[in-house]
Every structure is written in structure tokens, then in C-alpha cells.
Amino acid sequence: MFRCLENFRHARAVFKAAFCTLFTACLLMLSTAALAAQGAVILLYHHVAEDTPPSTTISPADFEAHLSYLKDNGFTVVGLDKAMDSLRSNQALPEKSVVITFDDGYSSIYSEAFPLLQSYGYPFTLFLSTGPIDSGLRNYMNWDQIREMSDAGVIIANHMVDHPYMLESLDSESDSERLDRLRAELLEAEQRIEQETGQSHRYLAYPYGEYDPAIKSILQKLNFVGLAQNSGAVGPESDFLALPRFPLASIYANLDTARTKFATLPFHANQLQPDSPVTTSRSPSVTLKFETGDYNLSQIGCFANSKPLAMNWIDREQGVVELKPHESFTGRRWRYICTAPDPGSSRYYWYSVQWINPD
Ligand SMILES: [Zn+2]
């Protein structure tokens, strides 16, 4: 009788241990899935200097303040390749992952940013327009400096040859001729980078953040990833032909505004209508669908130029909303931004809609 009871106790302990192992494994899988869903934030810089155009400049002191804030506040700076590979295969990235990128290839990246980034041990990516570098233009790096950075592990990627306005046709050029020209220029820049550095990742940062569905489809056919300048965080559901990046220059270089952006989370949203950022309107409406996530639909706020947009819920259950501005926008490019607080933290989900009016 006693032995029988002992056997029963033993069997119960084995069962309990097996159950615990299974339960822990399930918990681990769940938390990995949650981490994978969190995504990354891609930062965009140009000049790190004092005397260059304010709209594309951050001072070396402000830039170092960003790096030091990231280091002291639990962020992990990951390479663009690691972020892309992980998000596209739905693998986990560290929580609060940030990717650092620079567009154009200015000399202050080599003289100011590179030594700072090396001292922090942070990986980063350069998107180069190869034309100005091949012509030895003032204010741009040369290939020796770029190769030195490439040898140090910096990712060198594509920003076209001559930094074109990709939506603009040349004189008497048809639309299909324009797209053929862009395709050739994209491949030429990729080839120049590979000749000089041995790198070819097929990442394109659109000059001025401008693109349309026809340009995206060129990238898709050539198996390129496209990076834009819409603000917001990147997740596995993002559009990999127009990934958002936060430009951090001028008034946006300030750490007080930048640190909110560093910590943003990817909104899983789809733009239902229109399907292109290019518009002839000065006050365009847009219809978005917010997929269910760890946020409350009623807490979504959308704004442009810091002013609220009218939100007309077409189907609240399904998260479908039409945004209408109360104003007319001037200039060539502007954005609508939607955010919602994360209930479990002080972080925000962030999604933006890019508009380009070339007229
Ligand atoms: Zn550029």
C-alpha cells in the first residue's frame, strides 16, 4: 500500500515536471512572438555638422546626445541587414531596436559621425548617391573613405546615381521611358557600389523620399527593399517597398522630440485608398484600416502640421477610418500622422501617410 502511494506520488511529480516544461516552452514561444511583433525604428540623418543647410543637419553635439540617450535607455542599435532579415522572416529582434542610416554621403559623416559611432560600437548604413562621389564634389566623401568604413563593417547601400526626382520626366520623355531610365540608374548605382566596396544589398533609399506604385514595382521585380521618409516604426507587416524612417534634422534633431520617436511601435495599418502618395489635391482624404493590435482604436489620434484631422469611422469594428484635413497644404511634400498610446508603457504606436504634390 505504502509503495503504491509512493509510485503514485512519483508519477504525479513526473507529470508535474513535464507540464511545467511544456508550459514554460509555451510562455517562451509567446514572448518571442511578442518581441518579433515589436519591430524597429529606422533613423535618418544627412549632415552631422554646424554649417550645412538646417533642413538636413544635426550638430555633432546633438548627434552624440542621441547616441548617448540610446545607450543609457535600453535601446539596441542593430544593423539594417539584421533588422530586415529578422522582420521579413518574423524572427525576434531585441526590444527597442533602432537602426541608424545616413543619406547622400556627405563628408561630415566620415569626419564627425563615423568616429562617434565607432566609439559606441554602433552599426550603421550609408545610402550613397554615386554620381557626386565619382565627380569628387565638395562636401562629399571619397571612395577611399567609404571603403575604410565598408571595411569597418558599415553597410553601403543605394541612393541612385544623381539623386533624381523620380516622379519627374525629363524633356519629352514618356512615362515608360522615365521608368526605364530609373531602372537603369538604380542598377548602375548598385553596380558602382559593388565595384568599389564589394557590397550589394539591394536596399534603395528613395531620393527626397519620393516614389509611386510604378517605381515600387520596379524595386519589387528587382528584389530591392525601398526606404522612404514617412515617419513611423517598422514591423513585419510594413510595406518593404516604402519603409518608414524618422528624419532627424533641424527642429526634429532636438532630443526631447527625438526620444519619443526612438521608442515608437509599428502600427499594423493599411492604406486602402488612394494607393499612391502622389496627389494633385492640396487637401487629400485617405482611408486607412488599422488591424487589431495592443491598442485601443478609440485612442488613435491623427494630425497634420500638429493640427487634428477629421476622423470619419467607416467601420469602427474593422478599424476602417477616413481622414480629412481641415486645411490646404502648400509645398511639395507633407504627411498625416496617426498615433495611439501603448497601454503597457509610455510608448506610442506611430503610422504616417506620405503625400507628394509635384505641381
Ligand atoms: Zn538624399
Side-chain angles (χ1 to χ4, degrees):
M1 177 67 191
F2 183 68
R3 166 156 291 191
C4 183
L5 194 63
E6 265 303 283
N7 280 347
F8 173 71
R9 277 194 185 134
H10 178 70
R12 198 173 61 174
V14 168
F15 178 75
K16 210 163 141 187
F19 180 77
C20 280
T21 309
L22 194 68
F23 185 65
T24 311
C26 283
L27 272 185
L28 270 175
M29 277 164 70
L30 274 174
S31 65
T32 306
L35 278 179
Q38 279 170 340
V41 167
I42 309 179
L43 310 180
L44 165 59
Y45 300 97
H46 291 83
H47 299 277
V48 180
E50 302 281 3
D51 53 355
T52 40
S55 65
T56 47
T57 295
I58 182 169
S59 71
D62 282 346
F63 183 66
E64 176 153 30
H66 287 192
L67 303 186
S68 132
Y69 180 84
L70 293 171
K71 184 175 193 261
D72 294 342
N73 290 275
F75 290 88
T76 304
V77 178
V78 298
L80 182 60
D81 51 350
K82 179 175 163 61
M84 293 299 98
D85 293 349
S86 300
L87 292 172
R88 296 181 94 182
S89 57
N90 220 354
Q91 299 291 308
L93 274 171
E95 205 191 347
K96 294 167 87 175
S97 284
V98 165
V99 176
I100 296 175
T101 71
F102 295 86
D103 279 8
D104 300 349
Y106 296 119
S107 46
S108 65
I109 302 167
Y110 179 77
S111 59
E112 303 291 336
F114 181 41
L116 275 173
L117 286 156
Q118 280 205 307
S119 72
Y120 280 82
Y122 285 166
F124 63 101
T125 296
L126 292 179
F127 286 100
L128 299 182
S129 287
T130 56
I133 293 162
D134 279 334
S135 334
L137 227 61
R138 207 175 69 85
N139 259 352
Y140 283 82
M141 291 182 278
N142 62 45
W143 284 115
D144 282 339
Q145 294 167 333
I146 294 161
R147 261 190 303 276
E148 184 187 332
M149 296 166 97
S150 172
D151 291 344
V154 176
I155 292 176
I156 314 294
N158 197 324
H159 199 39
M160 301 295 275
V161 175
D162 286 319
H163 208 278
Y165 281 100
M166 295 175 83
L167 303 171
E168 306 290 326
S169 292
L170 303 177
D171 291 343
S172 74
E173 189 182 48
S174 72
D175 254 5
S176 73
E177 286 166 342
R178 171 178 62 96
L179 294 170
D180 286 347
R181 169 174 57 84
L182 293 173
R183 185 181 182 280
E185 183 175 337
L186 171 69
L187 293 173
E188 185 187 334
E190 191 73 14
Q191 193 186 33
R192 279 300 291 132
I193 291 165
E194 187 166 12
Q195 282 167 348
E196 296 288 347
T197 68
Q199 297 198 41
S200 174
H201 301 275
R202 303 215 156 202
Y203 302 148
L204 172 73
Y206 298 112
Y208 311 101
E210 294 192 359
Y211 59 91
D212 67 6
I215 294 169
K216 279 165 65 174
S217 111
I218 295 177
L219 267 67
Q220 185 165 36
K221 284 183 193 136
L222 295 172
N223 199 24
F224 270 75
V225 169
L227 292 97
Q229 297 185 23
N230 317 16
S231 54
V234 179
E237 313 293 342
S238 294
D239 178 0
F240 282 80
L241 297 172
L243 290 173
R245 292 186 293 168
F246 281 108
L248 297 168
S250 180
I251 52 167
Y252 305 112
N254 182 299
L255 182 59
D256 280 341
T257 57
R259 64 183 174 192
T260 306
K261 295 172 180 173
F262 296 160
T264 51
L265 298 161
F267 241 142
H268 182 188
N270 287 303
Q271 187 169 327
L272 301 184
Q273 170 117 23
D275 70 346
S276 173
V278 183
T279 181
T280 53
S281 169
R282 286 276 158 206
S283 53
S285 296
V286 62
T287 306
L288 301 177
K289 177 171 173 18
F290 291 100
E291 304 296 345
T292 45
D294 192 14
Y295 44 80
N296 191 334
L297 281 180
S298 66
Q299 289 185 309
I300 296 178
C302 298
F303 48 95
N305 288 342
S306 309
K307 287 182 219 131
L309 295 161
M311 296 176 71
N312 169 29
W313 286 98
I314 294 167
D315 185 340
R316 199 179 274 273
E317 292 260 291
Q318 295 294 314
V320 180
V321 64
E322 183 192 34
L323 307 181
K324 280 188 170 189
H326 298 290
E327 63 185 305
S328 281
F329 298 92
T330 54
R332 187 177 167 98
R333 293 182 295 275
W334 66 93
R335 283 176 213 131
Y336 298 168
I337 292 165
C338 295
T339 64
D342 174 36
S345 71
S346 56
R347 302 167 73 180
Y348 281 87
Y349 290 88
W350 185 302
Y351 179 84
S352 76
V353 177
Q354 177 76 53
W355 297 106
I356 308 155
N357 185 328
D359 296 332

